[in-house]
């Protein structure tokens, strides 16, 4: 792994640790000032886009508020050049009491050792019809 890849892998580890602690400031610190966080659902093909630290902060606060016990487990991460991938399972319970367990991944773009873009995807879980 070259210096750039080592630096990018390190920021992915810091980001993951911030998500484990629900530490919004630690997560925000991993993004560039104009960073992009594309979440899985939204009005556009890329979901909903949050760009810039204030916007990303609002998205993270909404996530941790809607799923107070959210965790990303069973993860793997790797970097090549200025791109990276993480795979994970999102588990938690919404404030309405609905359990969540979905497998997903993030595609990363890095710039100067920070996250320039985090693009999230997850599997859709089919629920059996209600009786």
């Amino acid at each position: 792994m070259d210096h750039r890849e080592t630096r990018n892998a390190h920021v992915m580890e810091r980001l993951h640790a911030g998500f484990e602690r629900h530490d919004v400031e630690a997560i925000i610190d991993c993004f560039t000032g104009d960073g992009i966080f594309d979440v899985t659902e939204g009005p556009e093909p890329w979901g909903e886009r949050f760009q810039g630290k204030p916007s990303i902060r609002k998205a993270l606060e909404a996530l941790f508020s809607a799923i107070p016990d959210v965790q990303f487990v069973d993860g793997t991460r790797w970097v090549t050049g200025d791109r990276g991938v993480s795979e994970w399972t999102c588990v938690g319970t919404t404030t309405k009491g609905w359990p969540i367990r979905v497998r997903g991944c993030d595609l990363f773009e890095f710039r100067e050792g920070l996250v320039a873009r985090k693009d999230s995807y997850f599997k859709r879980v089919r629920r059996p019809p209600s009786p």
Side-chain angles (χ1 to χ4, degrees), residues 3-21:
H3 171 71
R4 176 182 54 163
E5 290 174 340
T6 300
R7 181 175 67 174
N8 294 337
H10 179 69
V11 79
M12 284 180 75
E13 291 298 325
R14 287 179 30 228
L15 185 79
H16 176 72
F19 270 98
E20 280 186 334
R21 295 187 317 269

Side-chain angles (χ1 to χ4, degrees), residues 66-125:
I67 313 168
D69 64 344
V70 69
Q71 290 295 307
F72 297 88
V73 299
D74 303 327
T76 60
R77 293 175 287 286
W78 64 94
V79 171
T80 182
D82 283 325
R83 301 295 302 255
V85 175
S86 67
E87 296 177 325
W88 38 261
T89 302
C90 176
V91 296
T93 306
T94 69
T95 54
K96 294 183 179 187
W98 300 336
I100 293 175
R101 183 173 170 82
V102 295
R103 190 75 178 144
C105 68
D106 294 317
L107 306 178
F108 289 89
E109 295 174 24
F110 302 101
R111 186 171 66 239
E112 298 175 10
L114 294 171
V115 176
R117 183 168 179 233
K118 179 180 184 291
D119 192 2
S120 295
Y121 295 85
F122 65 77
K123 297 285 188 177
R124 251 195 144 122
V125 177

Side-chain angles (χ1 to χ4, degrees), residues 48-61:
E48 186 170 357
R49 176 163 292 164
F50 298 90
Q51 186 165 11
K53 291 185 178 194
S55 183
I56 295 169
R57 179 179 285 107
K58 288 179 186 174
L60 294 168
E61 288 169 349

